[in-house]
Amino acid sequence: SACHGPAGVSDAVADAASNAAAPDARPDAAWVYQDARPRPDALVPWDSGPPVDAVPGSVIQLPPSGQNLITDPWHYGTHVVYSEQRGMDQDVFFYDLMTRQEAAVVAEPGHQTQPYIWQDTVMRSDGRWYSEPDNVQMEIFEFDIQTSQTRQVTNNGFFNLMLRFNTRHVLYLTLEGVPQGEAGFNLKILDRQTEVATLLASYETWWEGADLSETHVSWAAHTPWESGSRKSVYLHHLATGTTELLMSTVPASQYRTSISGDWVIWEDDRNGNWDIYAYQISTGQEIPLVTEPHDQFAPYLCDDLVIWGDYRWSGNILDGWQKDLVIYDLSTGFWRRVTGWTDAWIPAAAQAGWLVYRRATGQFESEVYAMDLVANLILNPSGRVIP
């Protein structure tokens, strides 16, 4: 199935936003980082209790060990892609969780960043032309794992950053159409068959947290009645080309949407702290997933499984980077605390029985892990959360 987690300008920007200014709408918030020494991966049973050791071999630390800049990990099945700077430039790497082997997807001159994998295809943004301030051109390329063939997807001479793609569409941000000197990016969707790009959200709306499923695009942005930090959730229907505003999200602040199947989820501050809400597209019904007093952030949705960062065991967002990861099953309402050692965990997605996540080791550095959720009795073999 296709699962596309929320996308932004870069992981570094998104991490800073989640842990400092953006979620609390306090642009002057001081950067807080608490260095935490590595501790054993551990799990706890249903929502509370002492930590227990993870099953040996069920948690894999992907190379490298976090000494360099590594960003944007994403996985499909047992294949993980990520971008890392090991020399002068960033390159894209591919890791097989079954063989535990790594290979370079691309090692071209210039930065190769924002990789995303779906089925047998990897897309990324290619900065071989990029040079500040003369030429900020970046284009999107795709790589076929089976054939090792590479194809250029965009070629408009602007800064184009790949966000997500599905069978027919590519979701990306671009400076095309943004007047020189203006801040922000336009959000566009490219039809891979017709090669026609359509504007979804203007730079003027300060959109963010965009995501793509097979049928819809979601994002948060200013409405005609909102400004400043206030944003609401938009839903674009790919089949009809129509966009709707989820009125239940006006006028509170929402960030980081994620969409998969029949659901779209997001961060929501309507209760005075950051909670996670969900909207079922087929019924038009909104439901809160968690509204307890602490902050929850960065929800990622795939196959009815939601992963988010949770501060209920450590404080709140502005207290630092220390938090745990929680997995929630939309089909049953069951949830589990996945990490038992509160640390600087940053979630990616749970998909095909695996959770890919990061541990921040510095402002722009992190270690990447993959956890076998079935082996650790978090999910059963059918992919449902075990209470």
Side-chain angles (χ1 to χ4, degrees):
S1 63
C3 299
H4 312 273
V9 174
S10 71
D11 272 349
V13 173
D15 297 343
S18 284
N19 294 285
D24 243 301
R26 303 178 201 176
D28 58 344
W31 180 273
V32 177
Y33 174 67
Q34 300 174 9
D35 189 16
R37 296 298 92 195
R39 292 186 290 266
D41 287 278
L43 309 172
V44 294
W46 170 254
D47 87 45
S48 64
V52 295
D53 290 337
V55 174
S58 66
V59 177
I60 302 170
Q61 183 177 352
L62 279 62
S65 60
Q67 298 304 309
N68 299 310
L69 177 64
I70 182 166
T71 62
D72 312 316
W74 198 259
H75 77 294
Y76 183 89
T78 58
H79 295 156
V80 187
V81 292
Y82 44 91
S83 176
E84 196 215 355
Q85 185 170 332
R86 298 185 182 178
M88 293 296 294
D89 300 319
Q90 281 183 265
D91 294 312
V92 173
F93 297 89
F94 172 91
Y95 188 88
D96 190 321
L97 293 174
M98 293 293 95
T99 64
R100 307 201 181 183
Q101 297 295 311
E102 182 192 61
V105 173
V106 60
E108 298 283 351
H111 288 308
Q112 316 293 321
T113 187
Q114 208 77 6
Y116 183 77
I117 183 171
W118 184 61
Q119 295 182 340
D120 291 325
T121 302
V122 178
M123 285 195 188
R124 92 274 179 177
S125 292
D126 190 306
R128 66 184 68 182
W129 305 272
Y130 193 96
S131 64
E132 290 186 346
D134 304 321
N135 184 9
V136 295
Q137 179 183 3
M138 292 189 72
E139 304 290 357
I140 298 171
F141 282 72
E142 68 177 358
F143 175 80
D144 189 297
I145 296 171
Q146 297 299 322
T147 65
S148 298
Q149 298 296 308
T150 299
R151 185 181 76 89
Q152 188 168 345
V153 177
T154 64
N155 188 24
N156 59 19
F158 288 91
F159 182 93
N160 302 288
L161 201 61
M162 209 288 300
L163 300 181
R164 299 289 180 252
F165 69 93
N166 62 19
T167 306
R168 182 163 176 171
H169 297 92
V170 179
L171 183 68
Y172 67 105
L173 62 82
T174 180
L175 284 176
E176 183 179 19
V178 178
Q180 188 172 4
E182 293 288 342
F185 301 89
N186 285 330
L187 178 66
K188 290 192 173 185
I189 188 89
L190 174 69
D191 189 311
R192 299 169 68 184
Q193 293 182 8
T194 66
E195 298 187 349
V196 173
T198 302
L199 177 68
L200 296 180
S202 166
Y203 70 96
E204 297 171 298
T205 66
W206 290 96
W207 65 270
E208 63 88 39
D211 193 18
L212 172 73
S213 71
E214 282 294 288
T215 57
H216 294 83
V217 184
S218 62
W219 66 89
H222 293 326
T223 70
W225 315 282
E226 296 173 319
S227 61
S229 64
R230 296 296 182 184
K231 297 179 182 179
S232 297
V233 177
Y234 286 84
L235 189 65
H236 179 81
H237 301 252
L238 291 171
T240 64
T242 58
T243 300
E244 66 173 305
L245 167 65
L246 303 189
M247 293 304 298
S248 62
T249 63
V250 180
S253 289
Q254 285 76 33
Y255 294 92
R256 291 215 194 197
T257 72
S258 183
I259 190 168
S260 177
D262 195 29
W263 294 90
V264 57
I265 62 173
W266 61 85
E267 293 178 20
D268 197 301
D269 83 336
R270 70 183 68 182
N271 301 311
N273 64 285
W274 292 101
D275 297 317
I276 309 298
Y277 276 72
Y279 176 86
Q280 189 170 26
I281 299 169
S282 62
T283 65
Q285 180 183 9
E286 180 190 86
I287 60 171
L289 301 188
V290 55
T291 58
E292 64 92 45
H294 299 89
D295 289 322
Q296 286 79 34
F297 82 105
Y300 290 0
L301 171 63
C302 182
D303 291 339
D304 290 345
L305 296 177
V306 186
I307 289 286
W308 65 70
D310 202 304
Y311 282 87
R312 76 184 76 186
W313 298 280
S314 62
N316 274 308
I317 284 177
L318 293 184
D319 296 329
W321 278 24
Q322 309 303 300
K323 62 263 186 181
D324 282 285
L325 303 180
V326 164
I327 187 168
Y328 182 102
D329 190 337
L330 280 167
S331 65
T332 63
F334 295 154
W335 66 278
R336 291 283 297 274
R337 179 182 174 188
V338 177
T339 52
W341 291 105
T342 299
D343 210 327
W345 305 119
I346 304 167
Q351 194 257 123
W354 289 87
L355 169 65
V356 172
Y357 58 104
R358 292 183 293 143
R359 176 182 173 272
T361 56
Q363 183 170 347
F364 298 112
E365 295 180 346
S366 60
E367 301 165 341
V368 178
Y369 296 86
M371 177 185 287
D372 187 332
L373 297 172
V374 176
N376 282 299
L377 302 181
I378 299 292
L379 301 182
N380 65 26
S382 67
R384 302 273 61 88
V385 170
I386 304 172

